[in-house]
Amino acid sequence: MTSNREKLVLIGNGMAGVGTIEQILKLGGAYDITVFGSEPHPNYNRIMLSYVLEGSKTVDDIILNDRNWYKDNGITLHTGTTVTRIDGDKRQVIAENGLTAHYDKVIIATGSNSFILPIPGSTKEGVVGFRDISDCEAMLEAAKQYGKAAVIGGGLLGLEAAKGLVNLGMDVTVVHLMEDLMERQLDHTAASMLKAELERQGVKFAMGKQTVELTGDERVSGLRFNDGTELEAQFVVMAVGIKPNVAVAKDSGIEVNRGIVVNDYLQTSLADVYSVGECTEHRGVCYGLVAPLFEQGTVLAKYLCGVETKPYEGSVVSTKLKISGVDVFSAGEFIDTPEHTVISAKDDWKRTYKKILLKDNLIVGAVLFGDVTESASLQKLVKQGAEMTDDIYADVMGTGCCGGGGAKKTASVESMSDEEIVCGCNGVTKKAIVDAITENGFTTVDEIKACTGATRSCGGCKPVVEQILQYVLGDGFEQSMKTGICGCTTLSRDEIVAEIRAKGLTTTKEVMNVLGWKQEEGCSKCRPAVNYYLGMIYPDTHKDEKESRFVNERMSANIQKDGTFTVVPRMYGGVTTPEDLKKIADVSIKYDVKVVKVTGGQRLDLIGIKKEDVPKVWEELDMPSGYAYAKSLRTVKTCVGSQFCRFGTQDSMSMGALLERKYERLDFPAKFKMAVNGCPRNCAESCTKDIGIVGNDGGWEVFIGGNGGIKPRIADSFCKVKTDDELVEICSAVMQYYRETGNYLERTSEWVERMGLEHIKTVILDNEEERKALAQRIDFALTQVQDPWKKMLNDGATRSALFEATEIR
Amino acid sequence: MGAARQTYAAGKVEDYLKQIGRVIVIEGKELAVFRTSGDEFYALENRNPHPKGGPLAEGIVSGHYLYDPLYDWKIDLRTGEVQAPDKGQAAAYPVHVDGDTVVIGI
Ligand SMILES: Cc1cc2nc3c(=O)[nH]c(=O)nc-3n(C[C@H](O)[C@H](O)[C@H](O)COP(=O)(O)OP(=O)(O)OC[C@H]3O[C@@H](n4cnc5c(N)ncnc54)[C@H](O)[C@@H]3O)c2cc1C
Ligand code: SF4
Ligand code: FES
């Protein structure tokens, strides 16, 4: 290490500071770098703490640069070391533990602290902020021990914390001072829709409440509000805001307002000391999101490396809540005043809301709820302060679905500056993406993700990344976008199905050979898909390929993360008998089942069965498999119906059992769920099923395309029928049409949107001949299915190869 | 060639289904043994290199690659190395076929 290089010291090992260092390294900056960080961890992605809390990521998953990265780049790292002061005269940075470091340049990037309300009781045990890994760990710990939690603050952080705690099984109430959630990002309408959606997901709310005291002895036991009411809580998360962490700057005599004051080149009032990130105040603004801090870091890095750069002139921020099933977006101005012209559309049925604010016909802000597909283009337009035109209007307000928007969108990417951050979560600029495409010949978002990290976190930037791809590749894009079903082939599903039919291909191997697959034996995406298409095309002759099935389907049981399995016996229509229950109980005890759980589809999960016991469990249960693992009919959920319910007009239990018996075991493109209700009270929740059936006085109403999973969707009303026979025929036709036209793994919710409800209606309702033909085809396919266990139990070799471990000593 | 290994007979070729893993426990160590469509044999420790762990034997086999059953990571059966963008490595053990006996070295 040459000692004549200038010494650069970074205070704060967070996203802004290390982001800047990364840029400096990329620019080849000649510095000896030392980093101080208070936290014991290397640099991690703070945004993703919400996912750690929610359980979909681990702390290890969110590390951005591990210790080797520092080593490899010759950076001295002091973790667990808090800096107290910069001595401008001696040009030294001084840490709490006495460590010092000489500097030529210093970057302060100390971020923010959680703002803890200064009310009595706020220092009690069980009260935390939501800021870093240790807060997150405290929450995970608390959820194991306590039942009731309160989150004070209904902003982005508070809501993500609340949803995380609900996922951890706590009873959570969000206490919010205002009447509207996220009032700094959303208007009243969007805020109300958001609240309703979160209530549906299990979060409770106490709105318009000011907390004046936290009660309890050593540990918090509840909250007291200014209206005298109280709320019980053994755990409290304060998410009322953040406070720029200016301690170091203040104690070093640097000018501080709310944040550390910097100019357009991120310089503080002390020579050679710079500041980026949440701790800074630029033109009177402190930012609390990552996109601005990456923009600041880019300017500072260039400045420090002597590369010419434009000054930093501030950022337009946008917000995206990271809660699955809750899509909200806002950018720029969002509360309308008399000065604004407001364009808005609210749809209570689809639960979507869209608002665009104009000032003198310039686009200055937008709010989206429920459907955020336009967020990327709106963010751009707001940033540019674009003028509203008929074309833009048609584009973003969605008059006509695919009308000529493409060209313009590309144009907006074109006008984007190289330095602009496309992926806010990971600080990836447009230029980095363009370079990745041109230098490596990338043609897919996945490749760009693997190389640059863009789209890796919240996914909000994906539409823009796609637009950049399109813009860079031009005509080549069309071709590569057609990249059908996975990286192994450029053929789309429809082309593959057509080729199989035309050329009479019969095995996945043959399909892949004949159609020129890049990876000879395919991958985990295309092998199961092609196996399905073959089975759908040749129901009677296709020999199902176990080796092309995902583990759950191959083993006919659900694999759990520890390698044990879950078995779900079939219960037609959700009805069982005392005898069967007894058998299930006996087998569960005998094979030491860890948990017996009632599923969302009214069946029993027997969880935690050892792999080698799975066949024995089936043998002794002697019940058909519930196919809880399959891309196939899962369950037909039913209500009590006319047999017992005082409101019921139709026998939902019998109809549910009949449908489940009829369609069980048949493969579908994705899992398939149904429900049957005895009357419009809809106790079995038809609205979230692939096919939902509601009884009425004169017959049945059929709903299709509902889903309650990752992407919830309310089913569309399809038709009304008078008789049971008509009902079965309609179900058959819908299912078979989906089997024949659905992409593998595409749920009906997506299928209905892709094909169009009206189109499906035309095919099935307006054309009796076609309907009957579809019903006949499914009936033929149904004659071919057999219970997987009956087969497996009699086939000793397969059973042993799949389930038994061979012991060798 | 590293340290001397002990070899173990682990059944016959036909005990293994093509492209479907089989669990073999040798001296208490659990291995996932794979037979490819071209009748090559590979053995990995039956432990997913993903931080959350779990088994490997139930994955989808394509050529000399395995797609792990829990997280869909792509793993090279020859070396146990996880393919980009993911990172990690599963321990790999030598296997050969002697006559029609599958022999694993540990
Ligand atoms: C749970 C959560 C979810 C979020 N979600 C989003 C999101 O979806 N989108 C978005 O844009 N933003 C989000 N944010 C905000 C985003 O994480 C921050 O804007 C960003 O991390 C700020 O970066 P920074 O480097 O300024 O501060 P930080 O990342 O906080 O880094 C500052 C570091 O400095 C250290 N430090 C402080 N003082 C000292 C000292 N004296 N000596 C040494 N080290 C010190 C701290 O320990 C800390 O590690 C979220 C934040 C949280 C907490
Ligand atoms: S949907 Fe109607 S018939 Fe069925 S249980 Fe509810 S009220 Fe009774
Ligand atoms: S902006 Fe969140 S992943 Fe790119």
Side-chain angles (χ1 to χ4, degrees), chain A residues 13 37-44 67 77-81 132-134 137:
Chain A
N13 190 18
S38 298
E39 292 181 72
H41 310 276
N43 173 241
Y44 61 91
R67 287 177 193 272
L77 173 65
H78 302 291
T79 51
T81 308
D132 54 27
I133 290 180
S134 68
E137 281 167 349

mmCIF file of all heavy atoms in Angstrom, chain A residues 13 37-44 67 77-81 132-134 137:
data_model
loop_
_atom_site.group_PDB
_atom_site.id
_atom_site.type_symbol
_atom_site.label_atom_id
_atom_site.label_comp_id
_atom_site.label_asym_id
_atom_site.label_seq_id
_atom_site.Cartn_x
_atom_site.Cartn_y
_atom_site.Cartn_z
ATOM 1 N N ASN A 13 -21.015 3.348 8.131
ATOM 2 C CA ASN A 13 -20.853 2.225 7.206
ATOM 3 C C ASN A 13 -22.201 1.828 6.604
ATOM 4 O O ASN A 13 -22.548 0.658 6.569
ATOM 5 C CB ASN A 13 -20.225 1.081 8.028
ATOM 6 C CG ASN A 13 -19.779 -0.078 7.191
ATOM 7 O OD1 ASN A 13 -19.609 0.053 5.981
ATOM 8 N ND2 ASN A 13 -19.619 -1.225 7.826
ATOM 9 N N GLY A 37 -17.852 2.280 11.430
ATOM 10 C CA GLY A 37 -19.296 2.043 11.530
ATOM 11 C C GLY A 37 -19.667 1.648 12.945
ATOM 12 O O GLY A 37 -18.973 0.822 13.557
ATOM 13 N N SER A 38 -20.750 2.206 13.459
ATOM 14 C CA SER A 38 -21.176 1.887 14.824
ATOM 15 C C SER A 38 -21.685 0.463 14.939
ATOM 16 O O SER A 38 -21.528 -0.189 15.959
ATOM 17 C CB SER A 38 -22.319 2.803 15.270
ATOM 18 O OG SER A 38 -21.906 4.129 15.287
ATOM 19 N N GLU A 39 -22.329 -0.011 13.868
ATOM 20 C CA GLU A 39 -22.938 -1.333 13.951
ATOM 21 C C GLU A 39 -21.865 -2.415 13.795
ATOM 22 O O GLU A 39 -20.845 -2.194 13.158
ATOM 23 C CB GLU A 39 -23.997 -1.492 12.853
ATOM 24 C CG GLU A 39 -25.196 -0.603 13.067
ATOM 25 C CD GLU A 39 -26.239 -0.792 11.975
ATOM 26 O OE1 GLU A 39 -26.895 -1.845 11.973
ATOM 27 O OE2 GLU A 39 -26.387 0.103 11.123
ATOM 28 N N PRO A 40 -22.129 -3.597 14.395
ATOM 29 C CA PRO A 40 -21.134 -4.667 14.313
ATOM 30 C C PRO A 40 -21.094 -5.358 12.955
ATOM 31 O O PRO A 40 -20.261 -6.215 12.727
ATOM 32 C CB PRO A 40 -21.596 -5.652 15.402
ATOM 33 C CG PRO A 40 -23.041 -5.386 15.579
ATOM 34 C CD PRO A 40 -23.256 -3.940 15.265
ATOM 35 N N HIS A 41 -21.993 -4.983 12.041
ATOM 36 C CA HIS A 41 -22.105 -5.699 10.764
ATOM 37 C C HIS A 41 -21.375 -4.968 9.639
ATOM 38 O O HIS A 41 -21.204 -3.773 9.697
ATOM 39 C CB HIS A 41 -23.576 -5.806 10.366
ATOM 40 C CG HIS A 41 -24.444 -6.318 11.461
ATOM 41 N ND1 HIS A 41 -24.600 -7.658 11.727
ATOM 42 C CD2 HIS A 41 -25.164 -5.664 12.392
ATOM 43 C CE1 HIS A 41 -25.387 -7.802 12.759
ATOM 44 N NE2 HIS A 41 -25.749 -6.617 13.197
ATOM 45 N N PRO A 42 -20.990 -5.696 8.603
ATOM 46 C CA PRO A 42 -20.547 -5.003 7.392
ATOM 47 C C PRO A 42 -21.755 -4.342 6.731
ATOM 48 O O PRO A 42 -22.873 -4.452 7.226
ATOM 49 C CB PRO A 42 -19.966 -6.112 6.531
ATOM 50 C CG PRO A 42 -20.564 -7.367 7.018
ATOM 51 C CD PRO A 42 -20.910 -7.165 8.449
ATOM 52 N N ASN A 43 -21.531 -3.681 5.621
ATOM 53 C CA ASN A 43 -22.574 -2.911 4.949
ATOM 54 C C ASN A 43 -23.742 -3.777 4.471
ATOM 55 O O ASN A 43 -23.546 -4.768 3.790
ATOM 56 C CB ASN A 43 -21.883 -2.231 3.748
ATOM 57 C CG ASN A 43 -22.848 -1.535 2.846
ATOM 58 O OD1 ASN A 43 -22.951 -1.888 1.684
ATOM 59 N ND2 ASN A 43 -23.553 -0.569 3.341
ATOM 60 N N TYR A 44 -24.953 -3.401 4.868
ATOM 61 C CA TYR A 44 -26.114 -4.181 4.443
ATOM 62 C C TYR A 44 -27.197 -3.278 3.868
ATOM 63 O O TYR A 44 -27.147 -2.063 4.002
ATOM 64 C CB TYR A 44 -26.660 -5.028 5.585
ATOM 65 C CG TYR A 44 -27.151 -4.250 6.789
ATOM 66 C CD1 TYR A 44 -28.472 -3.842 6.899
ATOM 67 C CD2 TYR A 44 -26.284 -3.939 7.835
ATOM 68 C CE1 TYR A 44 -28.922 -3.136 8.002
ATOM 69 C CE2 TYR A 44 -26.720 -3.239 8.944
ATOM 70 C CZ TYR A 44 -28.047 -2.836 9.020
ATOM 71 O OH TYR A 44 -28.482 -2.141 10.103
ATOM 72 N N ARG A 67 -17.133 -8.815 4.524
ATOM 73 C CA ARG A 67 -15.825 -8.345 4.976
ATOM 74 C C ARG A 67 -14.723 -8.565 3.929
ATOM 75 O O ARG A 67 -13.774 -7.796 3.853
ATOM 76 C CB ARG A 67 -15.456 -9.019 6.304
ATOM 77 C CG ARG A 67 -16.291 -8.448 7.440
ATOM 78 C CD ARG A 67 -16.033 -9.108 8.768
ATOM 79 N NE ARG A 67 -17.070 -8.710 9.707
ATOM 80 C CZ ARG A 67 -17.006 -7.619 10.472
ATOM 81 N NH1 ARG A 67 -15.943 -6.854 10.423
ATOM 82 N NH2 ARG A 67 -18.003 -7.300 11.279
ATOM 83 N N LEU A 77 -11.506 -1.497 7.840
ATOM 84 C CA LEU A 77 -12.865 -1.398 8.367
ATOM 85 C C LEU A 77 -12.863 -1.521 9.880
ATOM 86 O O LEU A 77 -12.306 -2.476 10.425
ATOM 87 C CB LEU A 77 -13.739 -2.501 7.757
ATOM 88 C CG LEU A 77 -15.147 -2.648 8.337
ATOM 89 C CD1 LEU A 77 -15.990 -1.406 8.047
ATOM 90 C CD2 LEU A 77 -15.842 -3.894 7.785
ATOM 91 N N HIS A 78 -13.451 -0.550 10.550
ATOM 92 C CA HIS A 78 -13.652 -0.653 11.998
ATOM 93 C C HIS A 78 -15.136 -0.747 12.276
ATOM 94 O O HIS A 78 -15.829 0.267 12.271
ATOM 95 C CB HIS A 78 -13.087 0.577 12.723
ATOM 96 C CG HIS A 78 -11.630 0.811 12.476
ATOM 97 N ND1 HIS A 78 -10.658 -0.027 12.975
ATOM 98 C CD2 HIS A 78 -10.983 1.770 11.766
ATOM 99 C CE1 HIS A 78 -9.464 0.414 12.590
ATOM 100 N NE2 HIS A 78 -9.630 1.505 11.850
ATOM 101 N N THR A 79 -15.639 -1.950 12.501
ATOM 102 C CA THR A 79 -17.054 -2.060 12.857
ATOM 103 C C THR A 79 -17.173 -1.923 14.369
ATOM 104 O O THR A 79 -16.182 -2.045 15.103
ATOM 105 C CB THR A 79 -17.640 -3.414 12.435
ATOM 106 O OG1 THR A 79 -16.799 -4.452 12.927
ATOM 107 C CG2 THR A 79 -17.744 -3.518 10.939
ATOM 108 N N GLY A 80 -18.381 -1.697 14.838
ATOM 109 C CA GLY A 80 -18.624 -1.535 16.265
ATOM 110 C C GLY A 80 -17.846 -0.366 16.837
ATOM 111 O O GLY A 80 -17.498 -0.351 18.021
ATOM 112 N N THR A 81 -17.535 0.615 16.008
ATOM 113 C CA THR A 81 -16.724 1.749 16.455
ATOM 114 C C THR A 81 -17.419 3.062 16.097
ATOM 115 O O THR A 81 -17.585 3.380 14.919
ATOM 116 C CB THR A 81 -15.340 1.709 15.763
ATOM 117 O OG1 THR A 81 -14.784 0.408 15.954
ATOM 118 C CG2 THR A 81 -14.419 2.753 16.336
ATOM 119 N N ASP A 132 -32.363 -0.648 12.531
ATOM 120 C CA ASP A 132 -31.220 -1.485 12.171
ATOM 121 C C ASP A 132 -31.441 -2.945 12.545
ATOM 122 O O ASP A 132 -32.505 -3.326 13.017
ATOM 123 C CB ASP A 132 -29.935 -0.930 12.790
ATOM 124 C CG ASP A 132 -30.074 -0.748 14.289
ATOM 125 O OD1 ASP A 132 -30.884 -1.477 14.893
ATOM 126 O OD2 ASP A 132 -29.399 0.128 14.856
ATOM 127 N N ILE A 133 -30.417 -3.734 12.310
ATOM 128 C CA ILE A 133 -30.542 -5.178 12.526
ATOM 129 C C ILE A 133 -30.901 -5.483 13.970
ATOM 130 O O ILE A 133 -31.717 -6.363 14.246
ATOM 131 C CB ILE A 133 -29.231 -5.892 12.107
ATOM 132 C CG1 ILE A 133 -29.106 -5.841 10.582
ATOM 133 C CG2 ILE A 133 -29.201 -7.331 12.588
ATOM 134 C CD1 ILE A 133 -27.862 -6.513 10.033
ATOM 135 N N SER A 134 -30.351 -4.710 14.911
ATOM 136 C CA SER A 134 -30.641 -5.054 16.305
ATOM 137 C C SER A 134 -32.112 -4.783 16.628
ATOM 138 O O SER A 134 -32.733 -5.540 17.376
ATOM 139 C CB SER A 134 -29.698 -4.319 17.260
ATOM 140 O OG SER A 134 -29.974 -2.947 17.244
ATOM 141 N N GLU A 137 -33.952 -7.720 15.229
ATOM 142 C CA GLU A 137 -33.790 -8.908 16.071
ATOM 143 C C GLU A 137 -34.661 -8.808 17.315
ATOM 144 O O GLU A 137 -35.250 -9.795 17.759
ATOM 145 C CB GLU A 137 -32.312 -9.099 16.441
ATOM 146 C CG GLU A 137 -31.544 -9.722 15.275
ATOM 147 C CD GLU A 137 -30.029 -9.679 15.415
ATOM 148 O OE1 GLU A 137 -29.528 -8.972 16.320
ATOM 149 O OE2 GLU A 137 -29.357 -10.355 14.602
#
